[in-house]
Each structure stands twice: as structure tokens, then as C-alpha cells.
Amino acid sequence: MDKLTIFKSLSNEARLQILEWLKDPFTHFKLQDGIDLAEVGVCVSQITEKLNMTQSTASQYLSTLQKAGLIKATRIGKWTYYKRDEEAIKNLGEFIQTEL
């Protein structure tokens, strides 16, 4: 766990919002044909739309969260889906609780 990369990734309101939305994707996103939002994740196009930003900006935010290890990406055909890495988030919480 690269703590500095993680904390830098969390220093942006939109990236924090993405993590919050992905915590409960069924509440925040529309169902996608044949895709389980909990198992596979949410399509980048839905996240982009909800952020009301360009796809390049949304993709950059998602890339930052992925490099920090807080989300995972799954590619199906030409689409990329994102979901939280709950184990990494749990480990971060434990680190904060025990070390900070």
C-alpha cells in the first residue's frame, strides 16, 4: 500500500464522490444490460455522465483511483467497468485506525 498515493488520490472531491457512488452502485447508477453492477462494476460512461465532466477528465480520475489501488477495472469488449476494491479500502481504514 503506497499511502502517499492513496491520500493524494483522496484529496479531490470528485474522486471521493466516485468512491461513495461505487459503494452502492444500485442506488447511484442505472442498470446495464447483462452487467451486474456489484460484481462487474459501473461503466465509465455512466460515471462520466454523473460527474458532468468530459470523459477524459473522468477517466483520469478513475485512473488515479486505480493506481492508488482503491478501485478495480474490468474490460468487456470496448467498455471498461469500475468497482471499489473493498479489501484495499478496509486495509486503509485499519492503517488509519492503528497507525495515525
Side-chain angles (χ1 to χ4, degrees), residues 18-85:
I18 292 167
L19 285 175
E20 289 177 31
W21 290 334
L22 293 178
K23 185 174 185 178
D24 185 8
F26 295 103
T27 298
H28 300 286
F29 298 98
K30 297 178 277 182
L31 295 177
Q32 301 164 299
D33 293 332
I35 301 296
D36 184 328
L37 297 176
E39 289 297 315
V40 177
V42 177
C43 183
V44 67
S45 62
Q46 284 201 59
I47 296 169
T48 299
E49 182 180 320
K50 195 157 179 79
L51 286 170
N52 195 28
M53 296 179 175
T54 65
Q55 182 156 352
S56 63
T57 301
S59 292
Q60 187 174 6
Y61 286 163
L62 291 162
S63 177
T64 299
L65 290 168
Q66 187 178 8
K67 287 177 185 170
L70 298 173
I71 63 173
K72 296 177 181 180
T74 301
R75 186 127 174 114
I76 300 176
K78 63 180 184 174
W79 306 107
T80 304
Y81 299 86
Y82 290 92
K83 70 178 192 172
R84 289 167 38 122
D85 184 333

